[in-house]
Coordinates of all heavy atoms in Angstrom, one line a residue:
M3 N 0.9 -1.2 0.0 CA 0.0 0.0 0.0 C 0.8 1.3 0.0 O 1.8 1.4 0.8 CB -0.9 -0.1 1.3 CG -1.5 1.3 1.7 SD -3.0 1.8 0.7 CE -3.5 3.2 1.7
A4 N 0.8 2.1 -1.0 CA 1.4 3.3 -1.1 C 1.1 4.3 -0.1 O 0.0 4.5 0.1 CB 1.4 3.9 -2.5
T5 N 2.1 5.0 0.4 CA 1.8 6.0 1.4 C 1.5 7.3 0.6 O 1.7 7.4 -0.6 CB 3.0 6.4 2.3 OG1 4.1 6.8 1.4 CG2 3.5 5.2 3.0
R6 N 0.9 8.4 1.3 CA 0.5 9.5 0.6 C 1.9 10.1 0.0 O 1.9 10.7 -1.0 CB -0.1 10.5 1.7 CG -0.4 11.7 1.1 CD -1.3 12.6 2.0 NE -1.7 13.8 1.2 CZ -2.9 13.7 0.4 NH1 -3.5 12.8 0.2 NH2 -3.2 14.9 -0.3
H7 N 2.9 10.1 0.9 CA 4.2 10.7 0.5 C 4.7 10.0 -0.9 O 5.0 10.6 -1.8 CB 5.3 10.5 1.5 CG 6.6 10.9 1.0 ND1 7.0 12.2 0.8 CD2 7.7 10.2 0.7 CE1 8.2 12.3 0.4 NE2 8.7 11.1 0.3
Q8 N 4.6 8.7 -1.0 CA 5.1 7.9 -2.2 C 4.2 8.3 -3.4 O 4.7 8.5 -4.4 CB 4.9 6.4 -1.9 CG 6.0 5.9 -1.0 CD 5.7 4.4 -0.5 OE1 4.6 4.1 -0.4 NE2 6.7 3.7 -0.3
H9 N 2.8 8.6 -3.1 CA 1.9 8.9 -4.1 C 2.3 10.4 -4.7 O 2.4 10.6 -5.8 CB 0.5 8.9 -3.7 CG -0.5 9.3 -4.7 ND1 -0.7 8.6 -5.9 CD2 -1.4 10.4 -4.8 CE1 -1.6 9.2 -6.6 NE2 -2.0 10.3 -6.0
E10 N 2.6 11.2 -3.7 CA 3.0 12.6 -4.2 C 4.3 12.5 -4.9 O 4.4 13.4 -5.9 CB 3.0 13.6 -3.0 CG 1.7 13.9 -2.5 CD 1.6 14.6 -1.2 OE1 2.7 14.7 -0.6 OE2 0.4 14.9 -0.7
T11 N 5.2 11.8 -4.4 CA 6.6 11.7 -5.2 C 6.4 11.1 -6.6 O 6.9 11.7 -7.5 CB 7.4 10.7 -4.4 OG1 7.7 11.3 -3.1 CG2 8.8 10.6 -5.1
E12 N 5.5 10.1 -6.7 CA 5.2 9.5 -8.1 C 4.6 10.7 -9.0 O 5.0 10.7 -10.1 CB 4.2 8.3 -7.9 CG 3.6 7.9 -9.1 CD 4.7 7.3 -10.1 OE1 5.7 6.9 -9.7 OE2 4.3 7.2 -11.4
L13 N 3.6 11.4 -8.5 CA 3.1 12.5 -9.3 C 4.1 13.5 -9.7 O 4.1 13.9 -10.9 CB 1.9 13.2 -8.6 CG 0.7 12.4 -8.2 CD1 -0.3 13.3 -7.5 CD2 0.1 11.9 -9.6
A14 N 5.0 13.8 -8.8 CA 6.1 14.8 -9.1 C 7.0 14.3 -10.1 O 7.4 15.0 -11.1 CB 6.9 15.2 -7.8
V15 N 7.4 13.0 -10.0 CA 8.3 12.4 -11.1 C 7.5 12.4 -12.4 O 8.2 12.7 -13.4 CB 8.6 10.9 -10.6 CG1 9.2 10.1 -11.8 CG2 9.6 11.0 -9.4
R16 N 6.3 12.0 -12.4 CA 5.5 12.1 -13.6 C 5.5 13.4 -14.3 O 5.7 13.6 -15.6 CB 4.2 11.5 -13.4 CG 3.5 10.8 -14.6 CD 2.2 10.3 -14.4 NE 2.1 9.2 -13.3 CZ 1.1 8.9 -12.6 NH1 -0.1 9.6 -12.8 NH2 1.1 8.0 -11.7
A17 N 5.3 14.4 -13.5 CA 5.3 15.8 -14.0 C 6.6 16.2 -14.6 O 6.7 16.8 -15.7 CB 4.9 16.9 -12.9
T18 N 7.8 15.8 -13.9 CA 9.1 16.2 -14.5 C 9.4 15.4 -15.8 O 10.1 15.9 -16.6 CB 10.3 16.1 -13.5 OG1 10.2 14.7 -13.0 CG2 10.1 17.0 -12.2
Q19 N 8.8 14.3 -15.9 CA 9.1 13.5 -17.1 C 8.2 13.9 -18.2 O 8.6 13.7 -19.4 CB 8.8 12.0 -16.8 CG 9.9 11.4 -16.0 CD 9.5 10.0 -15.4 OE1 8.5 9.5 -15.6 NE2 10.6 9.3 -14.9
T20 N 7.1 14.5 -18.0 CA 6.2 14.8 -19.1 C 6.1 16.3 -19.3 O 5.6 16.7 -20.6 CB 4.7 14.4 -18.8 OG1 4.3 15.0 -17.6 CG2 4.6 12.9 -18.7
T21 N 6.5 17.2 -18.5 CA 6.6 18.7 -18.7 C 7.8 19.0 -19.4 O 8.8 18.8 -18.9 CB 6.5 19.4 -17.4 OG1 5.2 18.9 -16.6 CG2 6.2 20.9 -17.7
P22 N 7.7 19.6 -20.7 CA 9.0 20.0 -21.4 C 9.6 21.1 -20.6 O 8.9 22.0 -19.8 CB 8.5 20.5 -22.7 CG 7.0 20.8 -22.6 CD 6.5 19.9 -21.4
P23 N 10.9 21.3 -20.6 CA 11.7 22.4 -20.0 C 11.2 23.7 -20.6 O 11.0 23.7 -21.7 CB 13.1 22.1 -20.1 CG 13.2 21.2 -21.3 CD 11.9 20.4 -21.3
P24 N 11.2 24.7 -19.8 CA 10.8 26.0 -20.3 C 11.9 26.5 -21.3 O 13.0 26.2 -21.3 CB 10.7 27.0 -19.1 CG 11.6 26.2 -18.1 CD 11.5 24.9 -18.3
M25 N 11.4 27.3 -22.2 CA 12.2 28.0 -23.3 C 12.5 29.4 -22.8 O 11.7 29.9 -22.1 CB 11.6 27.9 -24.7 CG 11.4 26.5 -25.1 SD 12.9 25.7 -25.6 CE 13.1 26.4 -27.2
W26 N 13.5 30.0 -23.2 CA 13.9 31.4 -22.9 C 14.1 32.3 -24.1 O 14.7 31.9 -25.1 CB 15.2 31.3 -22.1 CG 15.2 30.6 -20.8 CD1 15.0 29.2 -20.6 CD2 15.2 31.3 -19.6 NE1 14.8 29.0 -19.2 CE2 15.1 30.2 -18.6 CE3 15.4 32.6 -19.1 CZ2 14.9 30.6 -17.3 CZ3 15.4 32.8 -17.8 CH2 15.2 31.9 -16.8
R27 N 13.4 33.5 -24.0 CA 13.6 34.5 -25.1 C 14.9 35.3 -24.8 O 15.2 35.6 -23.8 CB 12.5 35.5 -25.0 CG 11.1 35.0 -25.2 CD 10.1 36.1 -25.3 NE 9.8 36.7 -24.0 CZ 8.9 36.3 -23.1 NH1 8.1 35.3 -23.6 NH2 8.7 36.9 -21.9
V28 N 15.7 35.4 -25.9 CA 16.7 36.3 -25.9 C 16.3 37.7 -26.5 O 15.8 37.7 -27.6 CB 18.0 35.8 -26.6 CG1 19.2 36.8 -26.6 CG2 18.5 34.5 -25.9
V29 N 16.5 38.7 -25.8 CA 15.9 40.0 -26.1 C 17.1 41.1 -26.2 O 18.0 41.1 -25.3 CB 14.9 40.5 -25.0 CG1 14.4 41.8 -25.2 CG2 13.8 39.4 -24.9
L30 N 17.1 41.9 -27.1 CA 17.9 43.1 -27.3 C 17.2 44.3 -26.9 O 16.0 44.4 -27.1 CB 18.3 43.3 -28.6 CG 19.6 42.6 -29.3 CD1 19.8 42.9 -30.8 CD2 20.7 42.6 -28.4
L31 N 17.9 45.2 -26.1 CA 17.3 46.5 -25.6 C 17.9 47.7 -26.4 O 19.0 47.6 -26.8 CB 17.6 46.6 -24.1 CG 17.0 45.6 -23.2 CD1 17.4 45.9 -21.8 CD2 15.5 45.2 -23.4
N32 N 17.1 48.7 -26.6 CA 17.5 49.9 -27.4 C 18.5 50.7 -26.5 O 18.4 50.6 -25.2 CB 16.4 50.8 -27.8 CG 16.9 51.8 -28.7 OD1 17.7 51.6 -29.5 ND2 16.2 53.0 -28.7
D33 N 19.4 51.4 -27.1 CA 20.2 52.5 -26.4 C 20.5 53.6 -27.5 O 20.1 53.3 -28.8 CB 21.5 51.9 -25.8 CG 22.4 51.4 -26.9 OD1 23.0 52.2 -27.6 OD2 22.6 50.1 -27.0
D34 N 21.0 54.7 -27.1 CA 21.2 55.7 -28.0 C 22.6 55.7 -28.7 O 22.9 56.6 -29.5 CB 21.2 57.1 -27.2 CG 19.8 57.4 -26.8 OD1 18.8 56.8 -27.3 OD2 19.7 58.2 -25.8
F35 N 23.3 54.8 -28.4 CA 24.8 54.8 -28.9 C 25.2 53.7 -29.8 O 26.1 53.9 -30.7 CB 25.7 54.8 -27.5 CG 25.4 55.9 -26.7 CD1 24.7 55.7 -25.5 CD2 25.8 57.4 -27.0 CE1 24.4 56.8 -24.7 CE2 25.4 58.3 -26.2 CZ 24.8 58.1 -25.0
T36 N 24.7 52.5 -29.6 CA 25.2 51.3 -30.4 C 24.8 51.6 -31.9 O 23.6 51.8 -32.2 CB 24.6 50.0 -29.9 OG1 24.9 49.9 -28.5 CG2 25.1 48.8 -30.7
P37 N 25.8 51.5 -32.9 CA 25.4 51.8 -34.2 C 24.4 50.7 -34.7 O 24.5 49.6 -34.4 CB 26.8 51.6 -35.0 CG 27.8 51.8 -33.9 CD 27.1 51.2 -32.7
M38 N 23.5 51.2 -35.6 CA 22.6 50.2 -36.2 C 23.3 49.0 -37.0 O 22.9 47.9 -36.8 CB 21.6 51.0 -37.2 CG 20.7 51.9 -36.4 SD 19.5 52.7 -37.6 CE 18.5 53.6 -36.4
D39 N 24.2 49.4 -37.7 CA 25.0 48.3 -38.4 C 25.6 47.3 -37.5 O 25.6 46.1 -37.9 CB 26.1 49.0 -39.2 CG 25.7 49.8 -40.4 OD1 24.5 49.6 -40.8 OD2 26.6 50.3 -41.1
F40 N 26.1 47.6 -36.4 CA 26.6 46.7 -35.4 C 25.5 45.7 -34.9 O 25.8 44.6 -34.8 CB 27.3 47.4 -34.3 CG 27.9 46.5 -33.3 CD1 29.1 46.0 -33.5 CD2 27.2 46.1 -32.1 CE1 29.7 45.0 -32.6 CE2 27.7 45.2 -31.2 CZ 29.0 44.7 -31.5
V41 N 24.4 46.4 -34.7 CA 23.2 45.6 -34.1 C 22.8 44.5 -35.2 O 22.6 43.3 -34.9 CB 22.0 46.3 -33.7 CG1 20.8 45.5 -33.2 CG2 22.4 47.3 -32.6
V42 N 22.7 45.0 -36.4 CA 22.4 44.0 -37.6 C 23.4 42.9 -37.7 O 23.1 41.7 -37.8 CB 22.2 44.8 -38.8 CG1 22.1 43.9 -40.0 CG2 21.1 45.8 -38.8
M43 N 24.7 43.3 -37.6 CA 25.8 42.3 -37.6 C 25.6 41.3 -36.5 O 25.9 40.1 -36.6 CB 27.2 43.0 -37.5 CG 28.4 42.1 -37.6 SD 28.8 41.4 -35.9 CE 29.4 42.8 -35.0
V44 N 25.4 41.8 -35.2 CA 25.1 40.9 -34.1 C 24.0 39.9 -34.5 O 24.1 38.6 -34.2 CB 24.8 41.7 -32.9 CG1 24.2 40.9 -31.8 CG2 26.1 42.3 -32.3
L45 N 22.9 40.4 -35.0 CA 21.7 39.5 -35.2 C 22.1 38.4 -36.3 O 21.6 37.4 -36.2 CB 20.6 40.5 -35.7 CG 19.9 41.1 -34.4 CD1 19.0 42.3 -34.9 CD2 19.1 40.2 -33.5
Q46 N 22.8 38.9 -37.2 CA 23.2 37.9 -38.2 C 24.3 36.8 -37.7 O 24.2 35.7 -38.0 CB 23.9 38.6 -39.4 CG 23.0 39.5 -40.3 CD 23.7 40.1 -41.4 OE1 24.2 41.3 -41.4 NE2 23.8 39.4 -42.5
T47 N 25.3 37.4 -37.0 CA 26.3 36.5 -36.5 C 25.9 35.5 -35.3 O 26.1 34.3 -35.4 CB 27.5 37.3 -35.9 OG1 27.9 38.2 -37.0 CG2 28.7 36.5 -35.4
F48 N 25.1 36.0 -34.4 CA 24.9 35.2 -33.3 C 23.4 34.5 -33.3 O 23.2 33.5 -32.5 CB 25.0 36.0 -32.0 CG 26.5 36.5 -31.7 CD1 26.8 37.8 -32.0 CD2 27.3 35.7 -31.3 CE1 28.0 38.3 -31.8 CE2 28.7 36.1 -31.1 CZ 29.0 37.4 -31.3
F49 N 22.6 34.9 -34.2 CA 21.2 34.5 -34.3 C 20.9 33.8 -35.7 O 19.8 33.4 -35.9 CB 20.3 35.5 -33.8 CG 20.5 36.0 -32.4 CD1 21.2 37.1 -32.1 CD2 20.0 35.3 -31.4 CE1 21.5 37.5 -30.9 CE2 20.3 35.6 -30.0 CZ 21.0 36.7 -29.8
G50 N 21.9 33.8 -36.6 CA 21.7 33.1 -37.8 C 20.7 33.8 -38.7 O 20.0 33.1 -39.5
L51 N 20.5 35.1 -38.6 CA 19.4 35.8 -39.4 C 20.0 36.4 -40.6 O 21.1 36.8 -40.8 CB 18.7 36.9 -38.5 CG 18.1 36.4 -37.2 CD1 17.7 37.7 -36.4 CD2 17.0 35.5 -37.5
E52 N 19.1 36.3 -41.7 CA 19.5 37.0 -43.0 C 19.4 38.5 -42.7 O 18.8 39.0 -41.9 CB 18.4 36.7 -44.1 CG 18.3 35.2 -44.4 CD 19.5 34.6 -45.2 OE1 20.3 35.4 -45.6 OE2 19.3 33.5 -45.4
I53 N 20.0 39.3 -43.6 CA 20.2 40.8 -43.3 C 18.9 41.4 -43.4 O 18.6 42.4 -42.5 CB 21.1 41.4 -44.4 CG1 21.5 42.7 -44.0 CG2 20.5 41.2 -45.8 CD1 22.7 43.5 -44.7
E54 N 17.9 40.9 -44.1 CA 16.6 41.6 -44.2 C 15.9 41.4 -42.8 O 15.2 42.3 -42.2 CB 15.7 41.0 -45.3 CG 16.1 41.2 -46.6 CD 17.3 40.3 -47.1 OE1 17.6 39.3 -46.4 OE2 17.8 40.6 -48.3
R55 N 15.8 40.2 -42.3 CA 15.2 39.9 -40.9 C 16.0 40.7 -39.8 O 15.4 41.2 -38.9 CB 15.1 38.4 -40.8 CG 14.4 38.0 -39.4 CD 12.9 38.2 -39.6 NE 12.3 37.9 -38.2 CZ 11.5 38.7 -37.7 NH1 11.1 39.9 -38.1 NH2 10.9 38.4 -36.5
A56 N 17.3 40.6 -39.9 CA 18.1 41.2 -38.9 C 17.9 42.8 -38.9 O 17.7 43.3 -37.7 CB 19.6 41.0 -39.1
T57 N 17.6 43.4 -40.0 CA 17.3 44.7 -40.0 C 16.0 45.1 -39.5 O 15.8 46.0 -38.7 CB 17.4 45.2 -41.6 OG1 18.7 45.0 -42.1 CG2 17.2 46.8 -41.7
Q58 N 15.0 44.3 -39.9 CA 13.6 44.4 -39.3 C 13.7 44.3 -37.7 O 13.0 45.3 -37.1 CB 12.7 43.2 -39.7 CG 12.1 43.3 -41.0 CD 11.2 42.0 -41.3 OE1 11.3 41.0 -40.5 NE2 10.4 42.1 -42.4
I59 N 14.4 43.5 -37.1 CA 14.4 43.3 -35.7 C 15.1 44.5 -35.1 O 14.7 45.1 -34.1 CB 15.1 41.9 -35.3 CG1 14.1 40.7 -35.7 CG2 15.3 41.9 -33.8 CD1 14.8 39.4 -35.5
M60 N 16.2 44.9 -35.8 CA 17.1 46.0 -35.2 C 16.1 47.3 -35.1 O 16.1 48.1 -34.1 CB 18.2 46.3 -36.2 CG 19.1 47.5 -35.7 SD 18.5 49.0 -36.2 CE 18.7 48.9 -38.0
L61 N 15.3 47.5 -36.3 CA 14.4 48.6 -36.3 C 13.3 48.6 -35.3 O 12.9 49.6 -34.8 CB 13.9 48.8 -37.8 CG 14.9 49.4 -38.8 CD1 14.3 49.3 -40.3 CD2 15.4 50.8 -38.4
K62 N 12.8 47.4 -35.1 CA 11.8 47.2 -34.0 C 12.4 47.6 -32.7 O 11.7 48.3 -31.9 CB 11.3 45.8 -34.0 CG 10.2 45.4 -33.0 CD 9.8 44.0 -33.0 CE 8.8 43.7 -31.9 NZ 7.5 44.2 -32.1
V63 N 13.6 47.1 -32.3 CA 14.3 47.5 -31.1 C 14.4 49.0 -31.1 O 14.1 49.7 -30.1 CB 15.6 46.7 -31.0 CG1 16.3 47.2 -29.6 CG2 15.4 45.2 -30.9
H64 N 14.9 49.5 -32.1 CA 15.1 51.0 -32.2 C 13.8 51.8 -31.9 O 13.9 52.9 -31.2 CB 15.7 51.4 -33.6 CG 16.0 52.8 -33.7 ND1 16.9 53.6 -33.0 CD2 15.4 53.7 -34.6 CE1 17.0 54.8 -33.5 NE2 16.0 54.9 -34.5
T65 N 12.7 51.4 -32.5 CA 11.5 52.2 -32.4 C 10.7 51.9 -31.1 O 10.0 52.6 -30.6 CB 10.6 52.0 -33.7 OG1 10.3 50.6 -33.8 CG2 11.3 52.6 -34.8
E66 N 10.7 50.5 -30.8 CA 9.8 50.1 -29.6 C 10.5 49.7 -28.3 O 9.9 49.6 -27.3 CB 9.0 48.8 -30.1 CG 8.2 49.1 -31.3 CD 7.4 47.8 -31.7 OE1 7.3 46.8 -30.8 OE2 6.9 47.7 -32.9
G67 N 11.9 49.9 -28.4 CA 12.7 49.8 -27.1 C 13.2 48.3 -26.8 O 14.2 48.2 -26.0
R68 N 12.6 47.3 -27.4 CA 13.1 45.9 -27.3 C 12.6 45.0 -28.4 O 11.7 45.5 -29.1 CB 12.6 45.4 -25.9 CG 11.2 45.5 -25.7 CD 10.8 44.9 -24.4 NE 10.6 43.5 -24.6 CZ 10.9 42.5 -23.7 NH1 11.3 42.9 -22.5 NH2 10.7 41.2 -24.0
G69 N 13.2 44.0 -28.5 CA 12.9 42.9 -29.6 C 13.5 41.6 -29.3 O 14.6 41.6 -28.7
I70 N 12.7 40.6 -29.8 CA 13.1 39.2 -29.5 C 14.0 38.8 -30.7 O 13.7 38.8 -31.8 CB 11.9 38.4 -29.3 CG1 11.1 38.7 -28.2 CG2 12.3 36.8 -29.3 CD1 9.7 38.1 -28.2
C71 N 15.2 38.2 -30.3 CA 16.2 37.6 -31.3 C 16.0 36.2 -31.5 O 16.2 35.8 -32.6 CB 17.7 37.9 -30.7 SG 18.0 39.5 -30.0
G72 N 15.5 35.6 -30.6 CA 15.2 34.0 -30.7 C 14.8 33.5 -29.4 O 14.8 34.2 -28.4
V73 N 14.3 32.2 -29.5 CA 13.9 31.4 -28.3 C 14.6 30.2 -28.2 O 14.6 29.4 -29.2 CB 12.4 31.3 -28.4 CG1 11.8 30.5 -27.2 CG2 11.6 32.6 -28.5
Y74 N 15.2 29.9 -27.0 CA 16.2 28.7 -26.9 C 16.0 28.2 -25.5 O 15.5 28.7 -24.5 CB 17.6 29.2 -27.1 CG 17.8 30.1 -28.4 CD1 17.7 31.4 -28.2 CD2 18.0 29.4 -29.6 CE1 18.0 32.2 -29.4 CE2 18.3 30.2 -30.7 CZ 18.1 31.6 -30.6 OH 18.4 32.3 -31.8
P75 N 16.5 26.8 -25.5 CA 16.7 26.3 -24.1 C 17.6 27.1 -23.2 O 18.4 27.9 -23.8 CB 17.4 25.0 -24.5 CG 17.0 24.6 -25.8 CD 17.0 26.0 -26.5
Q76 N 17.5 27.1 -22.0 CA 18.2 27.9 -21.1 C 19.7 28.1 -21.3 O 20.3 29.2 -21.4 CB 17.9 27.5 -19.6 CG 18.5 28.5 -18.6 CD 18.1 28.1 -17.2 OE1 17.9 27.0 -16.8 NE2 18.1 29.2 -16.3
D77 N 20.4 27.0 -21.5 CA 21.8 27.0 -21.7 C 22.2 27.7 -23.0 O 23.2 28.5 -23.0 CB 22.5 25.6 -21.5 CG 21.9 24.6 -22.4 OD1 20.8 24.8 -23.1 OD2 22.6 23.5 -22.8
V78 N 21.6 27.4 -24.0 CA 21.8 28.1 -25.3 C 21.6 29.6 -25.2 O 22.4 30.4 -25.7 CB 20.9 27.5 -26.4 CG1 21.2 28.2 -27.8 CG2 21.2 25.9 -26.5
A79 N 20.4 30.0 -24.6 CA 20.1 31.4 -24.4 C 21.2 32.2 -23.6 O 21.6 33.2 -24.0 CB 18.7 31.5 -23.7
A80 N 21.6 31.5 -22.5 CA 22.7 32.1 -21.7 C 23.9 32.3 -22.4 O 24.6 33.3 -22.2 CB 22.9 31.3 -20.4
T81 N 24.3 31.3 -23.3 CA 25.5 31.4 -24.0 C 25.4 32.6 -25.0 O 26.4 33.4 -25.2 CB 25.8 30.1 -24.7 OG1 26.0 29.1 -23.8 CG2 27.1 30.2 -25.7
K82 N 24.2 32.8 -25.7 CA 24.1 33.8 -26.6 C 24.1 35.2 -25.9 O 24.8 36.1 -26.5 CB 22.7 33.7 -27.4 CG 22.8 32.5 -28.4 CD 21.7 32.5 -29.4 CE 21.7 31.2 -30.2 NZ 22.8 31.1 -31.0
V83 N 23.5 35.3 -24.7 CA 23.6 36.6 -24.0 C 25.0 37.0 -23.8 O 25.6 38.0 -23.9 CB 22.8 36.5 -22.7 CG1 23.1 37.7 -21.8 CG2 21.3 36.5 -23.0
S84 N 25.8 35.9 -23.2 CA 27.3 36.1 -22.9 C 28.1 36.6 -24.2 O 28.8 37.4 -24.1 CB 27.9 34.8 -22.4 OG 27.2 34.6 -21.1
D85 N 27.8 35.8 -25.3 CA 28.7 36.0 -26.5 C 28.3 37.5 -27.1 O 29.2 38.2 -27.4 CB 28.3 35.0 -27.5 CG 28.9 33.6 -27.1 OD1 29.6 33.5 -26.2 OD2 28.6 32.6 -27.9
V86 N 27.0 37.8 -27.1 CA 26.6 39.1 -27.6 C 27.3 40.3 -26.8 O 27.8 41.2 -27.2 CB 25.1 39.2 -27.7 CG1 24.7 40.7 -27.9 CG2 24.6 38.3 -28.8
T87 N 27.0 40.0 -25.3 CA 27.6 41.0 -24.4 C 29.1 41.3 -24.6 O 29.6 42.3 -24.6 CB 27.2 40.7 -23.0 OG1 25.8 40.6 -22.9 CG2 27.6 41.7 -22.0
R88 N 29.9 40.1 -24.7 CA 31.4 40.3 -24.8 C 31.7 40.9 -26.1 O 32.5 41.8 -26.1 CB 31.9 38.8 -24.8 CG 33.5 38.8 -24.8 CD 34.1 37.4 -25.0 NE 33.7 36.5 -24.1 CZ 32.9 35.5 -24.3 NH1 32.5 35.2 -25.5 NH2 32.5 34.6 -23.3
C89 N 31.0 40.6 -27.3 CA 31.3 41.3 -28.5 C 31.0 42.7 -28.4 O 31.8 43.6 -28.8 CB 30.4 40.5 -29.5 SG 30.7 41.2 -31.2
A90 N 29.8 43.2 -27.8 CA 29.5 44.5 -27.7 C 30.6 45.3 -26.8 O 31.0 46.4 -27.3 CB 28.2 44.7 -27.2
R91 N 31.0 44.7 -25.9 CA 32.0 45.4 -24.9 C 33.3 45.5 -25.6 O 34.1 46.5 -25.4 CB 32.1 44.7 -23.5 CG 30.8 44.7 -22.7 CD 30.3 46.1 -22.5 NE 29.0 45.9 -21.8 CZ 27.8 45.9 -22.5 NH1 27.8 45.9 -23.9 NH2 26.7 45.7 -21.9
Q92 N 33.7 44.4 -26.3 CA 35.0 44.4 -27.1 C 34.9 45.6 -28.0 O 36.0 46.3 -28.3 CB 35.2 43.2 -27.8 CG 35.7 42.1 -26.9 CD 35.8 40.7 -27.6 OE1 35.3 40.5 -28.7 NE2 36.5 39.8 -27.0
H93 N 33.9 46.0 -28.6 CA 33.7 47.1 -29.5 C 33.2 48.3 -28.8 O 33.0 49.4 -29.5 CB 32.7 46.9 -30.7 CG 33.2 45.7 -31.5 ND1 33.1 44.3 -31.3 CD2 33.9 45.8 -32.8 CE1 33.7 43.6 -32.3 NE2 34.1 44.5 -33.2
Q94 N 33.3 48.3 -27.5 CA 33.0 49.5 -26.6 C 31.5 50.1 -27.0 O 31.4 51.3 -26.9 CB 34.0 50.5 -26.8 CG 35.3 50.0 -26.1 CD 36.6 50.8 -26.4 OE1 36.6 51.9 -27.0 NE2 37.6 50.3 -25.8
H95 N 30.6 49.1 -27.1 CA 29.2 49.6 -27.3 C 28.5 49.1 -26.0 O 28.7 48.1 -25.5 CB 28.5 48.9 -28.5 CG 29.2 49.3 -29.8 ND1 29.6 50.5 -30.0 CD2 29.7 48.6 -30.9 CE1 30.1 50.7 -31.3 NE2 30.2 49.5 -31.8
P96 N 27.4 50.0 -25.6 CA 26.6 49.7 -24.4 C 25.4 48.7 -24.6 O 24.6 48.5 -23.7 CB 26.1 51.0 -24.0 CG 25.9 51.8 -25.2 CD 27.1 51.3 -26.2
L97 N 25.4 48.0 -25.8 CA 24.3 47.2 -26.2 C 24.0 46.2 -25.0 O 24.7 45.5 -24.5 CB 24.6 46.4 -27.4 CG 23.6 45.4 -27.9 CD1 22.4 46.2 -28.5 CD2 24.2 44.6 -29.1
Q98 N 22.6 46.1 -24.7 CA 22.1 45.2 -23.6 C 21.4 44.1 -24.2 O 20.5 44.3 -25.1 CB 21.1 46.1 -22.7 CG 21.7 47.1 -22.0 CD 22.5 46.7 -20.8 OE1 22.2 45.6 -20.1 NE2 23.6 47.4 -20.4
C99 N 21.8 42.8 -23.9 CA 21.1 41.6 -24.3 C 20.7 40.8 -23.1 O 21.6 40.6 -22.2 CB 22.1 40.9 -25.2 SG 21.4 39.4 -25.9
I100 N 19.5 40.5 -22.9 CA 19.0 39.8 -21.7 C 18.2 38.6 -22.1 O 17.9 38.4 -23.3 CB 18.0 40.6 -20.9 CG1 16.8 41.1 -21.7 CG2 18.8 42.0 -20.5 CD1 15.7 41.8 -20.8
M101 N 17.9 37.7 -21.2 CA 17.1 36.5 -21.5 C 15.9 36.5 -20.5 O 16.0 36.9 -19.4 CB 17.8 35.3 -21.4 CG 18.5 34.9 -20.1 SD 19.8 33.6 -20.1 CE 18.6 32.2 -19.9
E102 N 14.7 36.1 -21.0 CA 13.5 36.0 -20.1 C 12.8 34.6 -20.4 O 12.8 34.1 -21.6 CB 12.4 37.0 -20.6 CG 12.9 38.5 -20.7 CD 11.9 39.4 -21.3 OE1 11.0 38.9 -22.1 OE2 11.9 40.5 -21.0
I103 N 12.4 34.1 -19.3 CA 11.7 32.8 -19.4 C 10.4 33.0 -20.1 O 9.6 34.0 -20.0 CB 11.5 32.2 -18.0 CG1 11.1 30.7 -18.0 CG2 10.4 32.9 -17.2 CD1 11.3 29.8 -16.8
E104 N 9.9 32.0 -20.9 CA 8.7 32.0 -21.7 C 7.6 31.2 -20.7 O 7.9 30.1 -20.3 CB 8.7 31.2 -22.9 CG 9.5 31.8 -23.9 CD 8.7 32.1 -25.3 OE1 8.2 31.1 -25.9 OE2 8.6 33.3 -25.6
E105 N 6.6 31.9 -20.5 CA 5.5 31.3 -19.5 C 4.8 30.3 -20.1 O 4.1 30.2 -21.0 CB 4.7 32.4 -18.9 CG 5.4 33.5 -18.0 CD 6.3 32.8 -16.9 OE1 6.0 31.6 -16.5 OE2 7.2 33.4 -16.4
Ligands
LIG5 N1 19.1 53.3 -31.2 C1 20.5 53.0 -31.9 C2 20.9 54.1 -32.8 O1 20.1 55.0 -33.1 C3 20.3 51.7 -32.7 C4 20.1 50.5 -31.7 C5 19.2 49.6 -32.3 C6 20.7 50.3 -30.6 C7 18.9 48.4 -31.5 C8 20.6 49.2 -29.8 O2 19.5 47.0 -29.6 C9 19.6 48.2 -30.3 N2 22.1 54.1 -33.3

């Protein structure tokens, strides 16, 4: 006879086995200093976007304040945030790249 605790543990195990891990949005924020061409280059280099799509997203960030670059598992998103931030700082741009969990 299963105890209540064993039953709750079984339910928790089943939930972790059937619920997919959350995905994370990688988001660029606008600023007044980072050149538009640099942002387009970042979107092409780190997010695999064609120049037309990269330009659309850059302009959305420029006009609306933020824009989604892509949606990834947590470790991939974190690496993209690190790589973009390192590249921006190497070029002395203040570009902000963040990650947000998808609900
Ligand atoms: N606002 C910047 C400019 O006018 C361009 C820009 C776009 C900066 C997107 C950051 O994430 C950004 N040069």
